[in-house]
Amino acid sequence: DTDVQLAQIVEALGLLDANGNLAAAQSADAAAATKPQVDQLNMHLLNQALGSGDVAHLACPVSGGAVALNRIEQLVLCASLDTPCQASDLAPRVWQVLASQGKKLLRDGQPLVTAADNLAELDRLAQLFVQARLPVLEALGVCPDLLPR
C-alpha cells in the first residue's frame, strides 16, 4: 500500500525535527542578501579553526541559523577553499595544521601515533566529507564564495 497518511508525515517530520535534521528556509532573496556577510563570518570562523576547535558551527544563509561542523570538517572545508583540488589532496593540508600543533587523531578511541596512520584517517574523513557533507553545505550556502584570508 503506497498511501501515506497525514499522521505518518507529521510523525516523520517530528522525528526529523527532534534529531535536528529539519530547518525552515528563508526566501531565496533573503538568503542571497545575507550571503556576503555569512561568507565573511564563515571565513573568520574557518580561520579560527586553524588554531583551535572552539567553534563548532558555521552560519547558514538558507536557514538563517547555523550548521554543526567539527574541527576536522572545518579544516577539510578550509583546505578545499584554498585552491581547486581533489579530495585526496586535503588530508596532507589538514595534517600539516594538526601536526604543527602537536595534535593527533583518534580512531576507535585510541590515539593514532604515526603520521601515516593520521594521514590515512584524515584521507578517509576527507573522502567522506567531500562525498556526503560538502554537497549539502554548498546547497545551504555555508561554503564561502570569498577566498581572502
Side-chain angles (χ1 to χ4, degrees):
D1 184 355
T2 59
D3 291 332
V4 177
Q5 301 296 320
L6 179 59
Q8 292 171 307
I9 293 172
V10 170
E11 181 181 359
L13 289 173
L15 289 171
L16 287 169
D17 186 46
N19 289 326
N21 296 319
L22 188 66
Q26 301 189 88
S27 72
D29 289 341
T34 61
K35 180 75 167 127
Q37 292 83 11
V38 168
D39 284 351
Q40 289 177 356
L41 174 60
N42 285 345
M43 285 305 298
H44 174 76
L45 295 174
L46 289 171
N47 283 323
Q48 295 285 102
L50 294 171
S52 75
D54 293 342
V55 176
H57 294 81
L58 293 179
C60 176
V62 171
S63 70
V67 174
L69 279 91
N70 64 42
R71 183 169 187 219
I72 298 301
E73 291 172 322
Q74 290 178 41
L75 292 174
V76 171
L77 177 57
C78 193
S80 73
L81 295 173
D82 279 340
T83 57
C85 60
Q86 302 295 321
S88 60
D89 298 329
L90 300 174
R93 293 177 185 188
V94 173
W95 177 239
Q96 183 178 19
V97 171
L98 295 174
S100 73
Q101 298 167 357
K103 304 285 185 189
K104 296 191 175 169
L105 296 176
L106 298 174
R107 183 176 43 212
D108 300 326
Q110 300 299 314
L112 300 175
V113 178
T114 68
D117 287 344
N118 279 276
L119 278 166
E121 181 66 4
L122 282 170
D123 187 58
R124 183 184 75 78
L125 294 172
Q127 296 287 340
L128 285 171
F129 179 82
V130 168
Q131 292 169 5
R133 278 304 294 265
L134 188 57
V136 173
L137 295 173
E138 288 173 341
L140 292 173
V142 173
C143 300
D145 292 332
L146 309 175
L147 292 180
R149 298 228 194 275

